[in-house]
Amino acid sequence: MAAESVPFDLGESGNPRVTTGPISGSRKVHVSTPSGLRVPQRRVTLTNGEHLDLYDTSGPYTDSEATVDVRRGLEPLRTTWITDREATGGGTQLSLARSGVVTPEMEFAAVREGVPPELVRDEVAAGRAVIPANRRHPESEPMVIGRRFLVKVNANIGNSAVTSSIEEEVEKMVWATRWGAHTIMDLSTGRRIHETREWILRNSPVPVGTVPIYQALEKVGGDPARLSWPVYRDTVLEQAEQGVDYMTVHAGVLLRYVPLAAHRVTGIVSRGGSIMAAWCLAHHEESFLYTHFEELCEIFREYDITFSLGDGLRPGSIADANDEAQFAELRTLGELTHVARRHDVQVMVEGPGHVPMHLIEENVRLEEELCGEAPFYTLGPLATDIAPAYDHITSAIGAAMIARAGTAMLCYVTPKEHLGLPDRDDVKTGVVAYRIAAHAADLAKGHPRARERDDALSRARFEFRWVDQFHLALDPDTARAFHDQTLPAEPAKTAHFCSMCGPKFCSMRISQDVRRFAEERGLTTERAVEEGMRAKAAEFTASGGSVYLPVVER
Amino acid sequence: MAAESVPFDLGESGNPRVTTGPISGSRKVHVSTPSGLRVPQRRVTLTNGEHLDLYDTSGPYTDSEATVDVRRGLEPLRTTWITDREATGGGTQLSLARSGVVTPEMEFAAVREGVPPELVRDEVAAGRAVIPANRRHPESEPMVIGRRFLVKVNANIGNSAVTSSIEEEVEKMVWATRWGAHTIMDLSTGRRIHETREWILRNSPVPVGTVPIYQALEKVGGDPARLSWPVYRDTVLEQAEQGVDYMTVHAGVLLRYVPLAAHRVTGIVSRGGSIMAAWCLAHHEESFLYTHFEELCEIFREYDITFSLGDGLRPGSIADANDEAQFAELRTLGELTHVARRHDVQVMVEGPGHVPMHLIEENVRLEEELCGEAPFYTLGPLATDIAPAYDHITSAIGAAMIARAGTAMLCYVTPKEHLGLPDRDDVKTGVVAYRIAAHAADLAKGHPRARERDDALSRARFEFRWVDQFHLALDPDTARAFHDQTLPAEPAKTAHFCSMCGPKFCSMRISQDVRRFAEERGLTTERAVEEGMRAKAAEFTASGGSVYLPVVER
């Protein structure tokens, strides 16, 4: 093993700074379950005395009661669950679900979703959902990924050889989960990969994923031809011991598929996929990830690591979408899904990439068919290639559509995609764009709790409760800042208009007057208007001091 | 008439400044047609000697050969077309199309689309497309809106009582069209509405739309009850004379529909809709826009103004989508569409608003059925309500989907929607987000020319032609700026890696090596690999100095 030698030394500054404190307008509450679990939620208290509890991904960092010490790491929430389980024979979430056991992880995840724990167990048992929870990552707050649950968002972080420090990466993790990332992936490729990951894991309240081939490649000096199964296996073991919850494995890039990508417009764009393709060509052998897949399953079962079967041949452009290279690999990922399940190992399957809208749904249908409905985990997809610097938007369009069709988790894309490494602001923008896509899909799929937040925000909007509108927003700070740009004074936060239309033109305001007028007179149907209103028109004119028009829209 | 008294006086600064000069990497070219038209295009010249010509909305402002003088206004491109036509009896684009005439406007628009002029004529004759071109706005470069053509984007500009100056609004028009807006709407409600509009019209290379009820309301001191048909008619005439190309008319808000909105979560959110609802209630009379609709048609025919039948009862929240109020009004808009067509007046129909993804398609199907396939012109729709400050994204998701289903023009939404008046940066962000949505739909609908730009950009990306990638992007400046943030040096613009993954990890680069290896050896099929590659594996390893990995993606 070539683990770095200076664990827990931040190097650059020595004094890690991360963002703490509640999100504006919210505070942390805990739901207690009969079995004694304490499940965190984010409570938004409204000015009308109501409140709304939201799914909370942000961990203790937003809890004003909690003490955060990045050097010590988070409190290990799951330690006793894990030791109790090991005392009675252990098992993975999948094997336990198959045996009919509802684990604390399942119960915890069910409370977050607002569903019965048995539903989580059933879906995990069927392989339609996963709970990524390495037994060596007891700090994480369990969550479930599957098409019957809320659509999840992953945020990629990680340094590269060119830029960024460990401290920046830990803060990116805290920052991404603050804004709603349900998992994070550490894709570091630069210096001190092991140490960066250790800091992230010990401080992460969400599952952490990695792509072990990146570190393996660093260990062999960056030459894919020098990779080997032993180097890879040792890297996986090293990361498993650290507590990585799910790992991307590009085991579907088979030797015979590589030429299928030769005539593509953008070839192979997956980093892991290109590494494995190069290895296969250099050795003219089948991928060691494929030939040693069952050994890998044994390691994954031991730690209860979840496979994220990587789509190394995913399309990197609209031109290459849904081609033979992509779908050939998908068939192999389906085969491997069933192998892993035989080993009681949980599986997600990764998906594209770059796909025009009319080809999106086929990806979901094929994945479900070929991979036994394993949770689909897609990168976007980008619905067009022509907007670098706005690929959080090109891909949020594809992401919303593919999530509606059944994708369980979306890997975010930031505005820097294709151009550079995302900074902290880019991470936030990417997470918020993807929370929008995920939530839009939850609404379209009819998730029972999804509408609550839209309706609460819409009511606040209609009643000119500006502060409530900010606090219910995915990003309260930016919403308020935008309002402040034109109407910064505090009275504007309760004013019955905004700067879009000014005080005389607000449709919301006149609409309220219309409603009051109609309701006071019982005129709430077409018929009632026809019959009863003629006589009362004068009243409205007389009472009409309030018929001012100040809008919110065209 | 209450037109303002000081035309052509900018007031605030006296010296109008607008943005001029070519878009980075582009220059203006003109396509000459056999009949003598000169149609502008934007030519992107690539570093590999190729070029790509793009639809150009930006007018003479991006032409380095043109002299721009905002005080004089643009050269009136269409003057002789209009006078020639009037000398032979006149007519609207619709009446002429029905007579089998291909007007210069149709030919001009066809060249921009890359389609036969007869297709434009046929679609206009059938009412499935419109060419908004008031004969008093000869400065505009004609364009066509319809489902068989490229999806168009409108940008709303306009001041309010609270903020902004005439100069800012003229610059917003120039700025919005620079980034790709196909039409603009001047929604001013504040001071000097007439004068602002005059400046915009005389300098606008794209069709200009308005909502005349806003100015009419200003004329009666802001009290909807004091509105009347004569005040409204005079306002329409005033704007018609100035050259407004299309006008939003909320003639479908009938008295009996108003109570249908009373129990909504967000009531009536359309400014025009709420004004007319208040008028109907105050007078207990049917809307004068409805009862005088045929007189309005006469005026519109005279100037060849296009109706944009406003959806005054569109939903303002997810909760209110596709409800009875909305669809009752849509039925009336269908009735009015057919009335207008009898008068040879072109018609678009406006659509929502706020609609969850699973209810989007029904809007298009109903509009087509009820409104004789008149071009649908939608505002977003927003696919969720929970992201104020990011509603350009929530709505780009809905916009891409509704455009794919058949919407012909999308009204943009900026990040400031629901929070304040957009500034210049917001206008650009909104336009780019909507060009993404429109283009994604063009791809999905299979528009023959849509793929060209994606493929050109993807090829540039794969070949590390960074500068070409920037220049082919919807926003070259931001793409380059993002790349500069981590790798500002000029050599990085030709480097075979970026800061996302650094020099050792680039999948694009290794993918090129793989391609070269496979092609040199004729190994471009699965079978060839099986048969021929075993013997050659050693070669690849030997030649492998270039197997470096530096990505662009995970």
Side-chain angles (χ1 to χ4, degrees), chain B residues 384-397:
Chain B
T384 169
D385 301 332
I386 69 168
Y390 297 81
D391 279 334
H392 59 307
I393 300 177
T394 65
S395 67
I397 291 169

Side-chain angles (χ1 to χ4, degrees), chain A residues 243-540:
Chain A
V244 171
D245 299 287
Y246 64 92
M247 296 185 188
T248 294
V249 180
H250 297 93
V253 181
L254 302 190
L255 176 60
R256 66 179 180 276
Y257 299 159
V258 177
L260 298 176
H263 285 299
R264 282 176 153 184
V265 168
T266 45
I268 301 174
V269 296
S270 154
R271 210 190 294 171
S274 66
I275 293 168
M276 291 313 301
W279 188 90
C280 290
L281 290 185
H283 294 271
H284 190 63
E285 279 177 26
E286 194 50 275
S287 160
F288 59 80
L289 297 175
Y290 183 79
T291 56
H292 291 269
F293 190 74
E294 301 220 35
E295 289 169 72
L296 211 46
C297 289
E298 294 304 315
I299 299 171
F300 277 40
R301 179 171 58 189
E302 179 66 24
Y303 292 88
D304 202 358
I305 296 166
T306 299
F307 272 111
S308 188
L309 294 176
D311 55 336
L313 298 178
R314 69 168 178 271
S317 57
I318 293 297
D320 296 339
N322 293 25
D323 70 355
E324 178 52 21
Q326 183 192 339
F327 288 152
E329 179 186 33
L330 185 59
R331 284 189 290 275
T332 299
L333 298 185
E335 173 199 328
L336 296 173
T337 298
H338 295 292
V339 172
R341 285 182 182 169
R342 283 201 300 275
H343 288 268
D344 287 330
V345 177
Q346 304 183 93
V347 180
M348 299 188 283
V349 174
E350 296 185 6
H354 294 241
V355 185
M357 287 195 285
H358 63 295
L359 299 182
I360 284 177
E361 198 156 319
E362 183 183 11
N363 281 275
V364 181
R365 295 290 88 81
L366 268 181
E367 190 274 342
E368 289 175 338
E369 180 191 323
L370 297 171
C371 305
E373 298 183 281
F376 204 22
Y377 169 28
T378 62
L379 178 65
L382 283 70
T384 168
D385 301 332
I386 70 169
Y390 297 81
D391 279 334
H392 59 308
I393 300 178
T394 64
S395 67
I397 291 169
M401 290 185 66
I402 207 164
R404 183 193 168 198
T407 286
M409 183 155 78
L410 303 168
C411 182
Y412 86 167
V413 170
T414 79
K416 289 280 171 59
E417 186 77 12
H418 300 110
L419 298 169
L421 204 68
D423 62 20
R424 194 164 164 276
D425 289 344
D426 298 319
V427 166
K428 179 175 174 182
T429 303
V431 169
V432 173
Y434 270 68
R435 286 299 305 268
I436 289 169
H439 185 79
D442 289 335
L443 283 174
K445 288 165 66 180
H447 189 284
R449 291 190 53 189
R451 267 281 296 278
E452 290 174 6
R453 189 168 181 177
D454 292 79
D455 291 354
L457 193 146
S458 295
R459 280 192 295 268
R461 181 171 283 159
F462 190 65
E463 292 166 10
F464 295 101
R465 289 184 275 117
W466 288 99
V467 172
D468 291 348
Q469 194 182 150
F470 305 150
H471 290 166
L472 286 162
L474 282 179
D475 177 0
D477 302 340
T478 305
R480 178 186 281 268
F482 281 4
H483 193 260
D484 283 352
Q485 277 178 28
T486 41
L487 292 172
E490 204 45 47
K493 306 309 175 196
T494 51
H496 281 204
F497 65 93
C498 75
S499 69
M500 282 189 82
C501 308
K504 285 201 302 181
F505 271 90
C506 180
S507 64
M508 291 280 191
R509 184 149 143 185
I510 186 157
S511 188
Q512 290 185 1
D513 294 338
V514 165
R515 174 189 289 191
R516 198 177 319 115
F517 177 76
E519 287 185 347
E520 284 169 5
R521 291 156 186 79
L523 302 172
T524 54
T525 67
E526 285 191 49
R527 191 174 173 79
V529 172
E530 289 303 316
E531 292 177 352
M533 216 165 69
R534 197 170 308 270
K536 290 169 179 168
E539 282 182 44
F540 183 74

